[in-house]
Amino acid sequence: MTGATPSGSRLRADARRNSEQIRSAAIGAFQGQGLTVPLEEVAKAAGVSKATIFNRFGGRIGLIEAVIEEVVASELFAVVDHTRAIEDVGERITYYLTAIRDLQYRQPAFNDVLLQTYPDSRQLMEICRVGSEANEEFIAAARASGALRPEFTAGDLHALVVDNALALKHGKRPPRDDYDRRTLYLLDGIRGRSSASGGR
């Protein structure tokens, strides 16, 4: 019976379409709700079964690694690159911390990365490594220039962003105006004497 069963090329096309639908649904779900969103929701949005996600991506970790570039990495790395391009050290640290807190507020998945929610994901852990190195680079330069209080360390910045990640993930989400106002308070608290204007 010719045509009774799909050809190999038809099966491959269906598989590719399913994979793209799953990727698109995962990007939307992860950006909106974070990396811990139930896979059933991703499957429903993609119009496939949860089993199809496992067949195509091997489960949550494989799915995260298939889309983490679009969900988190590209935007974070763009922040790092832009920060490095700012000549004034005080303005640089102001931009960096403000941009990181903005990313935390807008992208729940970024907080899951900061909290290392899925340490078995190599790509997720690589993003953490790159972010940690950027923190150390920017804090060291700002301290050396006097733009930051001399006792403020990269470890302090890491603790602040992780605490913020926990609050945003598990606490009540504050209004954006209040959130941005607290970012200014934070910046005022860590600036050094040579950065009285704070780049503002």
Side-chain angles (χ1 to χ4, degrees), residues 149 183-191 196 200:
R149 296 171 60 162
T183 298
L184 294 178
Y185 292 156
L186 173 59
L187 285 165
D188 286 343
I190 66 175
R191 287 191 178 109
R200 290 180 292 175

Side-chain angles (χ1 to χ4, degrees), residues 25-39 41-42 60 63-64 67-68 71-72 104 106-113 117-118 124 169 173:
I27 290 169
F30 290 159
Q31 287 180 335
Q33 301 179 61
L35 301 180
T36 60
V37 62
L39 290 183
E41 292 189 26
V42 177
R60 184 182 298 274
L63 183 58
I64 288 172
V67 301
I68 198 67
V71 175
V72 170
Q104 287 189 270
R106 292 186 296 102
Q107 293 280 21
F110 182 50
N111 293 316
D112 287 320
V113 171
T117 305
Y118 296 104
L124 188 150
K169 185 172 180 64
R173 188 180 181 83

Side-chain angles (χ1 to χ4, degrees), residues 109-182:
F110 182 50
N111 293 316
D112 287 320
V113 171
L114 289 169
L115 296 172
Q116 300 184 8
T117 305
Y118 296 104
D120 291 336
S121 168
R122 292 183 180 179
Q123 291 187 34
L124 188 150
M125 298 306 293
E126 176 63 12
I127 294 170
C128 290
R129 185 192 66 78
V130 172
S132 179
E133 289 183 354
N135 284 350
E136 293 179 3
E137 173 189 340
F138 299 143
I139 294 300
R143 288 177 65 190
S145 73
L148 287 179
R149 296 171 60 162
E151 68 273 22
F152 188 81
T153 68
D156 292 326
L157 177 57
H158 175 76
L160 286 170
V161 296
V162 167
D163 287 348
N164 192 42
L166 288 168
L168 288 169
K169 185 172 180 64
H170 300 294
K172 183 178 179 180
R173 188 180 181 83
R176 183 67 200 235
D177 288 347
D178 289 345
Y179 185 84
D180 290 342
R181 180 166 47 84
R182 290 161 190 160

